[in-house]
Amino acid sequence: MSTYDEGHTVAGWTGTAIATVGSCVLGLGVCTTSVLVVAGGIVVLAVAVLVTWVLHLAGWGKPPGVRPVGEWRMGVRDRSARAGHPECVGCRLAGRGQRAVRVGGTAIAAEVVGAAPERV
């Protein structure tokens, strides 16, 4: 086993497999000069991004950074995904995790989405 957390997750492998198929379709479209096949390849690549994102939000991805060694296996589900991961762009796009809240022209980081900032 590697000494690093390389992020081998269900979300990562599923997205990579779909993206590989999309890249092959896109390459086939370029070789055959078919705009329709190129567009199909681009659609499959977009589906790969969306599937990976949805699986990450469902807990089959990994948070940013290195996980504990016990969670490196492929089938380990991330139970903290529902609340959102700090510094995770995918979680922020879904409205999870930390968010800056404007109060009087100053940005204040709220702990979790939905948490009200303290009134001063």
Side-chain angles (χ1 to χ4, degrees), residues 27-73:
L28 179 67
V30 169
C31 291
T32 61
T33 63
S34 171
V35 175
L36 189 60
V37 177
V38 167
I42 292 171
V43 167
V44 173
L45 288 172
V47 167
V49 170
L50 291 175
V51 166
T52 304
W53 184 43
V54 168
L55 285 172
H56 170 77
L57 294 175
W60 293 110
K62 76 178 224 46
V66 180
R67 297 177 290 178
V69 176
E71 297 178 10
W72 285 9
R73 288 185 342 221

mmCIF file of all heavy atoms in Angstrom, residues 27-73:
data_model
loop_
_atom_site.group_PDB
_atom_site.id
_atom_site.type_symbol
_atom_site.label_atom_id
_atom_site.label_comp_id
_atom_site.label_asym_id
_atom_site.label_seq_id
_atom_site.Cartn_x
_atom_site.Cartn_y
_atom_site.Cartn_z
ATOM 1 N N GLY A 27 -12.435 11.497 -29.034
ATOM 2 C CA GLY A 27 -11.339 11.210 -29.964
ATOM 3 C C GLY A 27 -11.820 10.567 -31.251
ATOM 4 O O GLY A 27 -11.332 10.886 -32.345
ATOM 5 N N LEU A 28 -12.788 9.666 -31.129
ATOM 6 C CA LEU A 28 -13.371 9.048 -32.320
ATOM 7 C C LEU A 28 -14.037 10.097 -33.203
ATOM 8 O O LEU A 28 -13.906 10.083 -34.429
ATOM 9 C CB LEU A 28 -14.387 7.982 -31.910
ATOM 10 C CG LEU A 28 -15.101 7.255 -33.043
ATOM 11 C CD1 LEU A 28 -14.115 6.403 -33.827
ATOM 12 C CD2 LEU A 28 -16.234 6.409 -32.498
ATOM 13 N N GLY A 29 -14.736 11.036 -32.575
ATOM 14 C CA GLY A 29 -15.378 12.111 -33.328
ATOM 15 C C GLY A 29 -14.379 13.001 -34.042
ATOM 16 O O GLY A 29 -14.617 13.434 -35.168
ATOM 17 N N VAL A 30 -13.232 13.264 -33.398
ATOM 18 C CA VAL A 30 -12.191 14.066 -34.039
ATOM 19 C C VAL A 30 -11.599 13.315 -35.222
ATOM 20 O O VAL A 30 -11.391 13.877 -36.300
ATOM 21 C CB VAL A 30 -11.095 14.455 -33.014
ATOM 22 C CG1 VAL A 30 -9.886 15.044 -33.696
ATOM 23 C CG2 VAL A 30 -11.657 15.423 -31.985
ATOM 24 N N CYS A 31 -11.335 12.017 -35.038
ATOM 25 C CA CYS A 31 -10.736 11.217 -36.118
ATOM 26 C C CYS A 31 -11.682 11.046 -37.311
ATOM 27 O O CYS A 31 -11.230 11.005 -38.451
ATOM 28 C CB CYS A 31 -10.310 9.847 -35.591
ATOM 29 S SG CYS A 31 -8.912 9.933 -34.464
ATOM 30 N N THR A 32 -12.970 10.948 -37.038
ATOM 31 C CA THR A 32 -13.937 10.757 -38.124
ATOM 32 C C THR A 32 -14.519 12.084 -38.599
ATOM 33 O O THR A 32 -15.367 12.093 -39.484
ATOM 34 C CB THR A 32 -15.086 9.837 -37.675
ATOM 35 O OG1 THR A 32 -15.767 10.438 -36.574
ATOM 36 C CG2 THR A 32 -14.572 8.466 -37.314
ATOM 37 N N THR A 33 -14.066 13.193 -38.031
ATOM 38 C CA THR A 33 -14.558 14.546 -38.323
ATOM 39 C C THR A 33 -16.081 14.636 -38.259
ATOM 40 O O THR A 33 -16.726 15.230 -39.118
ATOM 41 C CB THR A 33 -14.048 15.062 -39.690
ATOM 42 O OG1 THR A 33 -14.545 14.230 -40.720
ATOM 43 C CG2 THR A 33 -12.541 15.130 -39.721
ATOM 44 N N SER A 34 -16.636 14.026 -37.219
ATOM 45 C CA SER A 34 -18.078 14.052 -37.012
ATOM 46 C C SER A 34 -18.403 14.978 -35.840
ATOM 47 O O SER A 34 -18.040 14.697 -34.697
ATOM 48 C CB SER A 34 -18.591 12.642 -36.712
ATOM 49 O OG SER A 34 -19.934 12.688 -36.315
ATOM 50 N N VAL A 35 -19.083 16.070 -36.149
ATOM 51 C CA VAL A 35 -19.446 17.033 -35.121
ATOM 52 C C VAL A 35 -20.402 16.400 -34.114
ATOM 53 O O VAL A 35 -20.323 16.659 -32.911
ATOM 54 C CB VAL A 35 -20.080 18.290 -35.768
ATOM 55 C CG1 VAL A 35 -20.584 19.252 -34.705
ATOM 56 C CG2 VAL A 35 -19.081 18.971 -36.684
ATOM 57 N N LEU A 36 -21.280 15.542 -34.597
ATOM 58 C CA LEU A 36 -22.251 14.889 -33.722
ATOM 59 C C LEU A 36 -21.558 13.982 -32.706
ATOM 60 O O LEU A 36 -21.909 13.979 -31.517
ATOM 61 C CB LEU A 36 -23.246 14.082 -34.564
ATOM 62 C CG LEU A 36 -24.449 13.521 -33.839
ATOM 63 C CD1 LEU A 36 -25.273 14.633 -33.214
ATOM 64 C CD2 LEU A 36 -25.298 12.696 -34.781
ATOM 65 N N VAL A 37 -20.559 13.239 -33.129
ATOM 66 C CA VAL A 37 -19.833 12.343 -32.216
ATOM 67 C C VAL A 37 -18.981 13.160 -31.248
ATOM 68 O O VAL A 37 -18.883 12.818 -30.061
ATOM 69 C CB VAL A 37 -18.980 11.320 -33.005
ATOM 70 C CG1 VAL A 37 -18.171 10.436 -32.074
ATOM 71 C CG2 VAL A 37 -19.866 10.466 -33.896
ATOM 72 N N VAL A 38 -18.385 14.255 -31.713
ATOM 73 C CA VAL A 38 -17.621 15.137 -30.826
ATOM 74 C C VAL A 38 -18.544 15.704 -29.749
ATOM 75 O O VAL A 38 -18.209 15.709 -28.555
ATOM 76 C CB VAL A 38 -16.937 16.277 -31.615
ATOM 77 C CG1 VAL A 38 -16.409 17.352 -30.679
ATOM 78 C CG2 VAL A 38 -15.814 15.735 -32.466
ATOM 79 N N ALA A 39 -19.730 16.155 -30.147
ATOM 80 C CA ALA A 39 -20.693 16.683 -29.178
ATOM 81 C C ALA A 39 -21.112 15.597 -28.187
ATOM 82 O O ALA A 39 -21.254 15.862 -26.988
ATOM 83 C CB ALA A 39 -21.915 17.242 -29.901
ATOM 84 N N GLY A 40 -21.287 14.368 -28.662
ATOM 85 C CA GLY A 40 -21.624 13.252 -27.776
ATOM 86 C C GLY A 40 -20.528 12.993 -26.761
ATOM 87 O O GLY A 40 -20.798 12.723 -25.584
ATOM 88 N N GLY A 41 -19.265 13.080 -27.187
ATOM 89 C CA GLY A 41 -18.138 12.908 -26.272
ATOM 90 C C GLY A 41 -18.094 13.984 -25.213
ATOM 91 O O GLY A 41 -17.819 13.716 -24.039
ATOM 92 N N ILE A 42 -18.401 15.216 -25.610
ATOM 93 C CA ILE A 42 -18.424 16.322 -24.654
ATOM 94 C C ILE A 42 -19.547 16.127 -23.641
ATOM 95 O O ILE A 42 -19.383 16.375 -22.448
ATOM 96 C CB ILE A 42 -18.550 17.671 -25.392
ATOM 97 C CG1 ILE A 42 -17.258 17.941 -26.168
ATOM 98 C CG2 ILE A 42 -18.853 18.805 -24.429
ATOM 99 C CD1 ILE A 42 -17.319 19.125 -27.098
ATOM 100 N N VAL A 43 -20.690 15.634 -24.100
ATOM 101 C CA VAL A 43 -21.813 15.367 -23.193
ATOM 102 C C VAL A 43 -21.438 14.281 -22.192
ATOM 103 O O VAL A 43 -21.721 14.392 -20.995
ATOM 104 C CB VAL A 43 -23.083 14.979 -23.990
ATOM 105 C CG1 VAL A 43 -24.151 14.407 -23.074
ATOM 106 C CG2 VAL A 43 -23.615 16.178 -24.751
ATOM 107 N N VAL A 44 -20.778 13.225 -22.646
ATOM 108 C CA VAL A 44 -20.370 12.145 -21.740
ATOM 109 C C VAL A 44 -19.367 12.673 -20.720
ATOM 110 O O VAL A 44 -19.417 12.302 -19.542
ATOM 111 C CB VAL A 44 -19.801 10.945 -22.539
ATOM 112 C CG1 VAL A 44 -19.218 9.897 -21.601
ATOM 113 C CG2 VAL A 44 -20.873 10.322 -23.417
ATOM 114 N N LEU A 45 -18.459 13.567 -21.130
ATOM 115 C CA LEU A 45 -17.512 14.155 -20.181
ATOM 116 C C LEU A 45 -18.238 15.013 -19.140
ATOM 117 O O LEU A 45 -17.883 14.990 -17.953
ATOM 118 C CB LEU A 45 -16.467 14.989 -20.922
ATOM 119 C CG LEU A 45 -15.436 14.192 -21.709
ATOM 120 C CD1 LEU A 45 -14.572 15.117 -22.557
ATOM 121 C CD2 LEU A 45 -14.573 13.365 -20.784
ATOM 122 N N ALA A 46 -19.247 15.747 -19.555
ATOM 123 C CA ALA A 46 -20.034 16.540 -18.607
ATOM 124 C C ALA A 46 -20.773 15.629 -17.627
ATOM 125 O O ALA A 46 -20.864 15.927 -16.434
ATOM 126 C CB ALA A 46 -21.017 17.432 -19.357
ATOM 127 N N VAL A 47 -21.276 14.501 -18.114
ATOM 128 C CA VAL A 47 -21.945 13.528 -17.243
ATOM 129 C C VAL A 47 -20.955 12.973 -16.218
ATOM 130 O O VAL A 47 -21.302 12.778 -15.054
ATOM 131 C CB VAL A 47 -22.590 12.397 -18.080
ATOM 132 C CG1 VAL A 47 -23.014 11.231 -17.206
ATOM 133 C CG2 VAL A 47 -23.780 12.934 -18.859
ATOM 134 N N ALA A 48 -19.711 12.748 -16.634
ATOM 135 C CA ALA A 48 -18.688 12.250 -15.712
ATOM 136 C C ALA A 48 -18.466 13.226 -14.563
ATOM 137 O O ALA A 48 -18.361 12.819 -13.405
ATOM 138 C CB ALA A 48 -17.378 12.008 -16.458
ATOM 139 N N VAL A 49 -18.418 14.508 -14.874
ATOM 140 C CA VAL A 49 -18.231 15.525 -13.834
ATOM 141 C C VAL A 49 -19.423 15.520 -12.873
ATOM 142 O O VAL A 49 -19.248 15.538 -11.647
ATOM 143 C CB VAL A 49 -18.043 16.921 -14.472
ATOM 144 C CG1 VAL A 49 -18.085 18.011 -13.417
ATOM 145 C CG2 VAL A 49 -16.739 16.978 -15.245
ATOM 146 N N LEU A 50 -20.627 15.483 -13.417
ATOM 147 C CA LEU A 50 -21.824 15.510 -12.577
ATOM 148 C C LEU A 50 -21.948 14.262 -11.704
ATOM 149 O O LEU A 50 -22.293 14.354 -10.526
ATOM 150 C CB LEU A 50 -23.076 15.671 -13.437
ATOM 151 C CG LEU A 50 -23.224 17.039 -14.105
ATOM 152 C CD1 LEU A 50 -24.432 17.044 -15.036
ATOM 153 C CD2 LEU A 50 -23.334 18.135 -13.074
ATOM 154 N N VAL A 51 -21.658 13.088 -12.264
ATOM 155 C CA VAL A 51 -21.741 11.842 -11.492
ATOM 156 C C VAL A 51 -20.711 11.848 -10.363
ATOM 157 O O VAL A 51 -21.022 11.471 -9.234
ATOM 158 C CB VAL A 51 -21.557 10.613 -12.417
ATOM 159 C CG1 VAL A 51 -21.300 9.347 -11.622
ATOM 160 C CG2 VAL A 51 -22.767 10.441 -13.319
ATOM 161 N N THR A 52 -19.500 12.300 -10.655
ATOM 162 C CA THR A 52 -18.464 12.365 -9.632
ATOM 163 C C THR A 52 -18.879 13.317 -8.516
ATOM 164 O O THR A 52 -18.719 13.013 -7.330
ATOM 165 C CB THR A 52 -17.131 12.827 -10.242
ATOM 166 O OG1 THR A 52 -16.787 11.939 -11.306
ATOM 167 C CG2 THR A 52 -16.018 12.823 -9.210
ATOM 168 N N TRP A 53 -19.438 14.447 -8.872
ATOM 169 C CA TRP A 53 -19.877 15.436 -7.888
ATOM 170 C C TRP A 53 -20.995 14.887 -7.005
ATOM 171 O O TRP A 53 -20.959 15.004 -5.785
ATOM 172 C CB TRP A 53 -20.322 16.698 -8.613
ATOM 173 C CG TRP A 53 -20.720 17.836 -7.729
ATOM 174 C CD1 TRP A 53 -20.082 18.281 -6.599
ATOM 175 C CD2 TRP A 53 -21.843 18.691 -7.902
ATOM 176 N NE1 TRP A 53 -20.744 19.360 -6.075
ATOM 177 C CE2 TRP A 53 -21.830 19.642 -6.856
ATOM 178 C CE3 TRP A 53 -22.860 18.765 -8.843
ATOM 179 C CZ2 TRP A 53 -22.793 20.629 -6.724
ATOM 180 C CZ3 TRP A 53 -23.814 19.764 -8.710
ATOM 181 C CH2 TRP A 53 -23.763 20.678 -7.663
ATOM 182 N N VAL A 54 -21.984 14.247 -7.619
ATOM 183 C CA VAL A 54 -23.107 13.684 -6.858
ATOM 184 C C VAL A 54 -22.615 12.585 -5.912
ATOM 185 O O VAL A 54 -23.022 12.509 -4.749
ATOM 186 C CB VAL A 54 -24.210 13.161 -7.806
ATOM 187 C CG1 VAL A 54 -25.223 12.320 -7.065
ATOM 188 C CG2 VAL A 54 -24.890 14.321 -8.516
ATOM 189 N N LEU A 55 -21.714 11.719 -6.382
ATOM 190 C CA LEU A 55 -21.174 10.667 -5.519
ATOM 191 C C LEU A 55 -20.359 11.266 -4.371
ATOM 192 O O LEU A 55 -20.401 10.765 -3.240
ATOM 193 C CB LEU A 55 -20.324 9.685 -6.332
ATOM 194 C CG LEU A 55 -21.110 8.720 -7.210
ATOM 195 C CD1 LEU A 55 -20.160 7.930 -8.110
ATOM 196 C CD2 LEU A 55 -21.942 7.766 -6.374
ATOM 197 N N HIS A 56 -19.627 12.333 -4.641
ATOM 198 C CA HIS A 56 -18.869 13.002 -3.575
ATOM 199 C C HIS A 56 -19.817 13.547 -2.511
ATOM 200 O O HIS A 56 -19.592 13.380 -1.314
ATOM 201 C CB HIS A 56 -18.027 14.136 -4.158
ATOM 202 C CG HIS A 56 -17.403 15.011 -3.114
ATOM 203 N ND1 HIS A 56 -16.287 14.630 -2.401
ATOM 204 C CD2 HIS A 56 -17.752 16.227 -2.633
ATOM 205 C CE1 HIS A 56 -15.972 15.584 -1.533
ATOM 206 N NE2 HIS A 56 -16.856 16.569 -1.667
ATOM 207 N N LEU A 57 -20.899 14.186 -2.959
ATOM 208 C CA LEU A 57 -21.867 14.738 -2.013
ATOM 209 C C LEU A 57 -22.594 13.644 -1.236
ATOM 210 O O LEU A 57 -23.038 13.866 -0.107
ATOM 211 C CB LEU A 57 -22.885 15.616 -2.747
ATOM 212 C CG LEU A 57 -22.317 16.890 -3.375
ATOM 213 C CD1 LEU A 57 -23.396 17.608 -4.172
ATOM 214 C CD2 LEU A 57 -21.710 17.806 -2.329
ATOM 215 N N ALA A 58 -22.712 12.452 -1.825
ATOM 216 C CA ALA A 58 -23.362 11.330 -1.157
ATOM 217 C C ALA A 58 -22.419 10.620 -0.183
ATOM 218 O O ALA A 58 -22.826 9.694 0.520
ATOM 219 C CB ALA A 58 -23.878 10.338 -2.183
ATOM 220 N N GLY A 59 -21.163 11.041 -0.140
ATOM 221 C CA GLY A 59 -20.218 10.457 0.811
ATOM 222 C C GLY A 59 -19.278 9.424 0.224
ATOM 223 O O GLY A 59 -18.508 8.797 0.942
ATOM 224 N N TRP A 60 -19.304 9.224 -1.077
ATOM 225 C CA TRP A 60 -18.429 8.227 -1.702
ATOM 226 C C TRP A 60 -17.151 8.838 -2.240
ATOM 227 O O TRP A 60 -16.371 8.169 -2.905
ATOM 228 C CB TRP A 60 -19.171 7.475 -2.796
ATOM 229 C CG TRP A 60 -20.257 6.627 -2.237
ATOM 230 C CD1 TRP A 60 -21.593 6.819 -2.370
ATOM 231 C CD2 TRP A 60 -20.100 5.456 -1.426
ATOM 232 N NE1 TRP A 60 -22.284 5.847 -1.689
ATOM 233 C CE2 TRP A 60 -21.392 4.995 -1.101
ATOM 234 C CE3 TRP A 60 -18.999 4.758 -0.928
ATOM 235 C CZ2 TRP A 60 -21.602 3.875 -0.318
ATOM 236 C CZ3 TRP A 60 -19.222 3.650 -0.148
ATOM 237 C CH2 TRP A 60 -20.502 3.212 0.149
ATOM 238 N N GLY A 61 -16.916 10.109 -1.947
ATOM 239 C CA GLY A 61 -15.661 10.764 -2.312
ATOM 240 C C GLY A 61 -14.790 10.894 -1.083
ATOM 241 O O GLY A 61 -14.894 10.118 -0.138
ATOM 242 N N LYS A 62 -13.920 11.879 -1.075
ATOM 243 C CA LYS A 62 -13.082 12.130 0.098
ATOM 244 C C LYS A 62 -12.976 13.624 0.315
ATOM 245 O O LYS A 62 -13.060 14.402 -0.617
ATOM 246 C CB LYS A 62 -11.715 11.499 -0.048
ATOM 247 C CG LYS A 62 -10.741 12.206 -0.968
ATOM 248 C CD LYS A 62 -9.417 11.492 -0.962
ATOM 249 C CE LYS A 62 -8.198 12.340 -0.882
ATOM 250 N NZ LYS A 62 -8.036 13.396 -0.014
ATOM 251 N N PRO A 63 -12.793 14.036 1.563
ATOM 252 C CA PRO A 63 -12.592 15.452 1.827
ATOM 253 C C PRO A 63 -11.203 15.878 1.351
ATOM 254 O O PRO A 63 -10.329 15.031 1.150
ATOM 255 C CB PRO A 63 -12.711 15.552 3.347
ATOM 256 C CG PRO A 63 -12.404 14.197 3.853
ATOM 257 C CD PRO A 63 -12.825 13.237 2.781
ATOM 258 N N PRO A 64 -10.976 17.171 1.163
ATOM 259 C CA PRO A 64 -9.633 17.621 0.798
ATOM 260 C C PRO A 64 -8.624 17.244 1.880
ATOM 261 O O PRO A 64 -8.956 17.199 3.060
ATOM 262 C CB PRO A 64 -9.778 19.142 0.708
ATOM 263 C CG PRO A 64 -11.227 19.403 0.542
ATOM 264 C CD PRO A 64 -11.936 18.276 1.224
ATOM 265 N N GLY A 65 -7.418 16.957 1.481
ATOM 266 C CA GLY A 65 -6.367 16.615 2.428
ATOM 267 C C GLY A 65 -6.243 15.110 2.623
ATOM 268 O O GLY A 65 -6.909 14.317 1.974
ATOM 269 N N VAL A 66 -5.353 14.745 3.525
ATOM 270 C CA VAL A 66 -5.062 13.348 3.782
ATOM 271 C C VAL A 66 -6.019 12.798 4.832
ATOM 272 O O VAL A 66 -6.245 13.416 5.866
ATOM 273 C CB VAL A 66 -3.596 13.180 4.249
ATOM 274 C CG1 VAL A 66 -3.269 11.734 4.533
ATOM 275 C CG2 VAL A 66 -2.653 13.740 3.207
ATOM 276 N N ARG A 67 -6.595 11.623 4.559
ATOM 277 C CA ARG A 67 -7.500 10.968 5.509
ATOM 278 C C ARG A 67 -6.688 10.062 6.428
ATOM 279 O O ARG A 67 -5.554 9.693 6.113
ATOM 280 C CB ARG A 67 -8.506 10.099 4.754
ATOM 281 C CG ARG A 67 -9.402 10.887 3.839
ATOM 282 C CD ARG A 67 -10.313 9.986 3.061
ATOM 283 N NE ARG A 67 -9.527 9.222 2.085
ATOM 284 C CZ ARG A 67 -10.024 8.319 1.271
ATOM 285 N NH1 ARG A 67 -11.293 8.033 1.300
ATOM 286 N NH2 ARG A 67 -9.262 7.677 0.411
ATOM 287 N N PRO A 68 -7.281 9.650 7.554
ATOM 288 C CA PRO A 68 -6.601 8.669 8.412
ATOM 289 C C PRO A 68 -6.391 7.357 7.642
ATOM 290 O O PRO A 68 -7.187 7.001 6.770
ATOM 291 C CB PRO A 68 -7.576 8.466 9.568
ATOM 292 C CG PRO A 68 -8.445 9.674 9.573
ATOM 293 C CD PRO A 68 -8.513 10.141 8.151
ATOM 294 N N VAL A 69 -5.342 6.630 7.969
ATOM 295 C CA VAL A 69 -4.986 5.403 7.243
ATOM 296 C C VAL A 69 -6.136 4.400 7.225
ATOM 297 O O VAL A 69 -6.356 3.720 6.227
ATOM 298 C CB VAL A 69 -3.717 4.760 7.867
ATOM 299 C CG1 VAL A 69 -3.381 3.451 7.197
ATOM 300 C CG2 VAL A 69 -2.542 5.713 7.760
ATOM 301 N N GLY A 70 -6.922 4.317 8.276
ATOM 302 C CA GLY A 70 -8.032 3.377 8.332
ATOM 303 C C GLY A 70 -9.137 3.676 7.324
ATOM 304 O O GLY A 70 -9.976 2.827 7.048
ATOM 305 N N GLU A 71 -9.150 4.875 6.744
ATOM 306 C CA GLU A 71 -10.181 5.257 5.789
ATOM 307 C C GLU A 71 -9.682 5.269 4.346
ATOM 308 O O GLU A 71 -10.337 5.812 3.465
ATOM 309 C CB GLU A 71 -10.721 6.643 6.157
ATOM 310 C CG GLU A 71 -11.402 6.681 7.499
ATOM 311 C CD GLU A 71 -11.889 8.078 7.848
ATOM 312 O OE1 GLU A 71 -11.864 8.968 6.977
ATOM 313 O OE2 GLU A 71 -12.292 8.275 9.008
ATOM 314 N N TRP A 72 -8.523 4.679 4.082
ATOM 315 C CA TRP A 72 -7.953 4.701 2.731
ATOM 316 C C TRP A 72 -8.574 3.666 1.801
ATOM 317 O O TRP A 72 -8.414 3.756 0.601
ATOM 318 C CB TRP A 72 -6.455 4.474 2.797
ATOM 319 C CG TRP A 72 -5.687 5.662 3.271
ATOM 320 C CD1 TRP A 72 -6.178 6.814 3.791
ATOM 321 C CD2 TRP A 72 -4.273 5.804 3.282
ATOM 322 N NE1 TRP A 72 -5.180 7.662 4.132
ATOM 323 C CE2 TRP A 72 -3.989 7.072 3.830
ATOM 324 C CE3 TRP A 72 -3.221 4.994 2.900
ATOM 325 C CZ2 TRP A 72 -2.699 7.551 3.984
ATOM 326 C CZ3 TRP A 72 -1.934 5.464 3.052
ATOM 327 C CH2 TRP A 72 -1.679 6.726 3.590
ATOM 328 N N ARG A 73 -9.268 2.672 2.349
ATOM 329 C CA ARG A 73 -9.834 1.633 1.489
ATOM 330 C C ARG A 73 -10.872 2.206 0.549
ATOM 331 O O ARG A 73 -11.484 3.234 0.803
ATOM 332 C CB ARG A 73 -10.477 0.547 2.334
ATOM 333 C CG ARG A 73 -9.510 -0.329 3.061
ATOM 334 C CD ARG A 73 -10.284 -1.409 3.744
ATOM 335 N NE ARG A 73 -11.683 -0.961 3.817
ATOM 336 C CZ ARG A 73 -12.481 -1.105 4.843
ATOM 337 N NH1 ARG A 73 -12.099 -1.700 5.864
ATOM 338 N NH2 ARG A 73 -13.704 -0.654 4.857
#
